[in-house]
Amino acid sequence: MSLPAPVRPLLVLDLDETLWHGVRVPGGLKLSLRPHLAEFLTAVSTAYDLAIWTAATEDWMLEGLAGVQAATGFDLRERAFFLWHRERCTFRRDAEGQFAFFKPARKFKARWIRGRYPPERILVVDDRAENYACSYGHLVRVSEWCGEEGDDELQRLAPYLLSIAAEPNLRTLEKRGWRLKG
Ligand SMILES: [Mg+2]
C-alpha cells in the first residue's frame, strides 16, 4: 500500500528585494521587477500554493502586486492564500538594539492555516534571514536584489523549490546550500 501524497505545500513570499525593488516617487511607486519573476511564479505555482508576507505597508504591497500583474499577468492578490503586511509583523529590538520588523512564524500555527498547511509543509522565501530569527527552519534565503541586471536568483530558485516540493518535512530539510542543489 502506498503512502498518501503529502498535502500541497505553501510558499510564503517576501516582496521587497526578494521579488521586486521599489522606490517611492511623487505620485506613487516606481517598481522594478526581479529578472525571471514571471517564469518563477508560473513554475512554483504548479507545485506550491502561494502567500505573501511583507514588512511593507498594505498600500505598498497592493500597489506592487498590481504592478506585478500588469507586467506578468500573474495575479498574486487573487492567488495568495493570505496577503500579510506590516500589521502582521512584530516591531521590536534586533540583536544590535535597533527597532525592526520581524515575521513571527508562530502565526503559521493559527488553526485556519495549520488545518490546511501543517508547519512542516510551509516554506518562506526572504532576503532577510533576521525576519525569521525564531524559525529558520521555514526559510529559503535569497540574495537581496536592488535592481542589478543579470540577476538569476529566481531562475535558479524555481527548479530547486520544485525538486523539494514533495518532501514530507520541509522544515527539517537543510536548505542553506540550495544554490548548489538547484
Ligand atoms: Mg525583503
Side-chain angles (χ1 to χ4, degrees):
M1 203 173 85
S2 60
L3 292 169
V7 294
R8 202 170 144 88
L10 183 67
L11 188 66
V12 181
L13 299 167
D14 175 51
L15 296 176
D16 287 285
E17 285 70 62
T18 293
L19 300 189
W20 71 49
H21 178 67
V23 180
R24 180 65 70 192
V25 293
L29 164 66
K30 180 175 179 292
L31 189 69
S32 303
L33 300 184
R34 193 165 197 163
H36 311 289
L37 177 60
E39 306 94 288
F40 172 80
L41 293 173
T42 301
V44 296
S45 63
T46 63
Y48 290 81
D49 292 341
L50 303 178
I52 299 295
W53 198 354
T54 174
T57 62
E58 184 175 21
D59 286 353
W60 181 273
M61 173 184 78
L62 293 176
E63 195 172 341
L65 292 177
V68 169
Q69 186 191 10
T72 69
F74 200 98
D75 190 357
L76 277 162
R77 294 165 301 178
E78 176 68 28
R79 304 270 300 255
F81 181 60
F82 55 75
L83 295 169
W84 284 359
H85 48 83
R86 180 165 293 178
E87 289 174 19
R88 288 280 180 164
C89 297
T90 57
F91 190 60
R92 61 176 172 76
R93 289 189 190 278
D94 64 15
E96 279 83 49
Q98 305 296 313
F99 275 102
F101 289 102
F102 293 88
K103 300 175 181 177
R106 65 177 184 276
K107 296 197 175 187
F108 296 152
K109 292 178 181 163
R111 192 183 305 249
W112 63 276
I113 298 176
R114 70 167 197 253
R116 187 158 167 182
Y117 306 104
E120 66 271 17
R121 297 290 290 154
I122 299 178
L123 286 181
V124 304
V125 174
D126 208 295
D127 66 294
R128 288 186 78 243
E130 316 88 274
N131 281 338
Y132 287 95
C134 298
S135 49
Y136 288 130
H138 294 287
L139 178 67
V140 180
R141 170 93 184 271
V142 291
S143 59
E144 177 188 65
W145 184 72
C146 297
E148 302 86 355
E149 290 178 18
D151 177 272
D152 66 354
E153 194 85 334
L154 295 181
Q155 187 179 35
R156 298 170 69 187
L157 181 60
Y160 171 69
L161 291 175
L162 295 176
S163 76
I164 63 171
E167 290 282 341
N169 193 333
L170 292 164
R171 268 181 105 179
T172 53
L173 187 71
E174 176 56 72
K175 298 174 286 293
R176 281 175 291 187
W178 72 262
R179 290 180 190 81
L180 303 174
K181 300 168 190 158

